[in-house]
């Protein structure tokens, strides 16, 4: 089914079998989604990063080629609502070829998840992954080639997803220009969506991945956060938990590019509330269907080892039409409210 309205949609969501985990009572007294919102604190900062000295920082005469820069830092924008009380901070991590804009105002102008979560009482932290958006990229390898100090093989692997390719990856349809019946992404605003996309440096980043390092540091700083990832970043909260659980209260991985291996070390996830959330048309996609199957294998293995992993595929609980970009689909506010209720029930508040 598609969700006809916000009020009716939320009631329908909370009436579904899996939504019984988050009864309608959980929404009683919820803060309104309209009108002024009271914010106690807001701002931005960086986590992580390292100093790097390079002799190929610039090929522009006005700037010296040699010097020291900071690299691998992760930008974080935050808002803390007044009277947040014991509600968990939520960290929102974007996927491939995008930035933290993913979680902000939708392409067709509706409220983004960052604001919905804020209005529902959760401190929200939206990041730009290292080398993306407001987190600095690394010019040295490019300038070394341009200056003739290195061969073309030294250039970093940087890519961009064209809209023709992204159309199928984001499951708007099987191929560019075709649309899945009932698909809920607001295609009338697609030009605004394409403007969000940026070059992706992910394949050029060092190991351990700076986003994983940044998430570990941020979770420890927040002392009890829910890490919400999407697509390319889907595996990163799991990797952060594997390096140490400090500050990680729960994981929500939305359509992850990968889940941890079912035959790997599952001890880091024992007892940790984990939700892996999928939209619609997954079985129509040769890219995503095998990844969902692998995540199901991980969930079975992790739960047998003491895990608390839940796989939710929206059509299986009666919600049809969601694309890979479900946080921007027409029912995005209802889905955010469902997620708020899931967090309240499964992760709980600070003690």
């Amino acid at each position: 089914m598609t969700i006809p309205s916000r009020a009716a949609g939320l009631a329908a969501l909370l009436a579904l079998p899996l939504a019984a985990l988050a009864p309608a009572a959980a929404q009683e007294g919820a803060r309104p989604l309209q009108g002024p919102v009271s914010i106690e604190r807001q701002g931005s900062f960086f986590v992580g990063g390292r100093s790097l000295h390079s002799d190929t920082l610039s090929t522009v005469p006005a700037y010296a080629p040699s010097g020291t820069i900071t690299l691998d830092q992760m930008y974080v924008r935050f808002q803390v609502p007044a009277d947040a009380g014991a509600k968990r901070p939520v960290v929102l991590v974007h996927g491939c070829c995008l930035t933290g804009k993913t979680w902000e105002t939708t392409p067709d102008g509706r409220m983004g998840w960052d604001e919905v979560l804020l209005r529902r009482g959760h401190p929200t932290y939206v990041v730009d992954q290292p080398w993306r958006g407001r987190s600095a990229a690394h010019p040295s390898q490019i300038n070394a080639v341009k200056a003739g100090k290195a061969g073309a093989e030294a250039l970093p692997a940087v890519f961009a997803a064209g809209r023709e390719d992204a159309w199928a990856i984001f499951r708007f349809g099987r191929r560019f220009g075709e649309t899945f019946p009932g698909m809920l992404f607001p295609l009338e605003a697609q030009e605004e969506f394409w403007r969000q996309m940026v070059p992706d440096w992910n394949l050029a980043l060092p190991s351990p991945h700076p986003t994983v390092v940044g998430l570990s540091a941020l979770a420890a700083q927040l002392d009890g956060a829910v890490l919400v990832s999407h697509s390319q970043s889907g595996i990163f909260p799991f990797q952060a938990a594997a390096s140490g659980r400090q500050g990680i209260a729960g994981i929500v991985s939305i359509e992850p590019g990968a889940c941890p291996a079912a035959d790997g070390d599952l001890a880091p996830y024992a007892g940790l509330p984990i939700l892996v959330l999928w939209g619609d048309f997954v079985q129509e996609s040769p890219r995503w269907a095998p990844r969902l199957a692998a995540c199901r294998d991980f969930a079975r293995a992790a739960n047998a080892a003491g895990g608390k992993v839940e796989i939710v595929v929206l059509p299986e609980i009666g919600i049809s039409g969601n694309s890979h970009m479900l946080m921007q689909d027409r029912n995005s506010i209802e889905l955010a409210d469902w997620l708020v209720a899931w967090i309240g029930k499964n992760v709980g508040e600070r003690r």
Side-chain angles (χ1 to χ4, degrees):
M1 78 176 180
T2 56
I3 297 177
S5 68
R6 292 182 182 177
L10 179 56
L13 279 170
L14 295 174
L16 292 166
L18 282 180
L21 296 170
Q27 297 298 318
E28 291 179 3
R31 303 177 185 200
L33 290 182
Q34 303 296 329
V37 58
S38 182
I39 297 174
E40 179 181 288
R41 291 184 295 116
Q42 65 179 7
S44 59
F45 58 92
F46 289 89
V47 292
R50 60 188 172 95
S51 295
L52 173 76
H53 184 84
S54 172
D55 293 323
T56 54
L57 293 181
S58 173
T59 60
V60 178
Y63 293 89
S66 297
T68 303
I69 60 173
T70 301
L71 194 64
D72 297 348
Q73 66 272 30
M74 186 170 76
Y75 174 84
V76 184
R77 175 183 65 80
F78 73 93
Q79 291 183 302
V80 178
D83 304 321
K87 288 200 177 285
R88 296 283 183 181
V90 177
V91 178
L92 300 169
V93 192
H94 62 85
C96 160
C97 315
L98 295 163
T99 69
K101 171 61 180 169
T102 290
W103 309 100
E104 299 173 4
T105 308
T106 65
D108 57 340
R110 290 172 293 110
M111 188 182 299
W113 275 23
D114 64 336
E115 186 178 347
V116 178
L117 292 168
L118 177 77
R119 286 177 176 271
R120 295 307 191 205
H122 287 275
T124 60
Y125 294 75
V126 179
V127 311
D128 285 353
Q129 288 192 48
W131 298 38
R132 207 93 60 83
R134 285 176 282 188
S135 301
H138 185 5
S140 293
Q141 293 166 299
I142 295 172
N143 286 330
V145 175
K146 186 171 183 178
K149 296 182 178 181
E153 69 279 359
L155 287 170
V158 184
F159 64 96
R163 60 186 66 179
E164 296 84 359
D165 196 29
W167 187 283
I169 293 172
F170 296 149
R171 297 201 312 282
F172 302 156
R174 290 182 181 86
R175 56 190 61 85
F176 185 64
E178 295 184 7
T179 305
F180 287 122
M183 193 274 302
L184 294 176
F185 187 84
L187 286 176
E188 72 279 5
Q190 63 179 281
E191 288 300 324
E192 179 68 14
F193 176 69
W194 301 131
R195 293 186 184 108
Q196 297 181 19
M197 301 189 70
V198 298
D200 193 300
W201 295 73
N202 188 59
L203 298 177
L205 269 64
S207 182
H209 199 289
T211 302
V212 176
V213 175
L215 287 178
S216 293
L218 181 57
Q221 179 177 328
L222 298 178
D223 191 24
V226 178
L227 304 182
V228 179
S229 58
H230 176 237
S231 195
Q232 177 196 75
S233 72
I235 190 64
F236 294 156
F238 295 101
Q239 293 175 338
S243 68
R245 289 262 292 267
Q246 183 183 3
I248 302 176
I251 292 174
V252 175
S253 186
I254 299 172
E255 299 216 350
C259 281
D263 59 354
D265 180 10
L266 303 176
Y269 315 116
L272 181 66
I274 295 173
L275 170 66
V276 184
L277 182 63
W278 294 82
D280 203 348
F281 317 114
V282 176
Q283 296 307 320
E284 304 286 342
S285 170
R287 172 185 290 264
W288 294 109
R291 297 177 182 186
L292 171 55
C295 285
R296 291 192 193 273
D297 290 341
F298 159 70
R300 282 190 289 266
N303 289 340
K308 297 172 62 178
V309 183
E310 184 176 355
I311 305 286
V312 173
V313 182
L314 290 176
E316 295 178 2
I317 63 170
I319 304 170
S320 301
N322 282 106
S323 72
H324 182 59
M325 299 299 299
L326 57 84
M327 72 293 295
Q328 297 182 2
D329 287 341
R330 298 186 192 280
N331 61 346
S332 60
I333 292 177
E334 287 81 7
L335 295 181
D337 274 333
W338 186 89
L339 180 59
V340 166
W342 186 92
I343 291 171
K345 176 64 176 180
N346 294 276
V347 183
E349 297 186 340
R350 297 176 187 269
R351 297 180 179 178

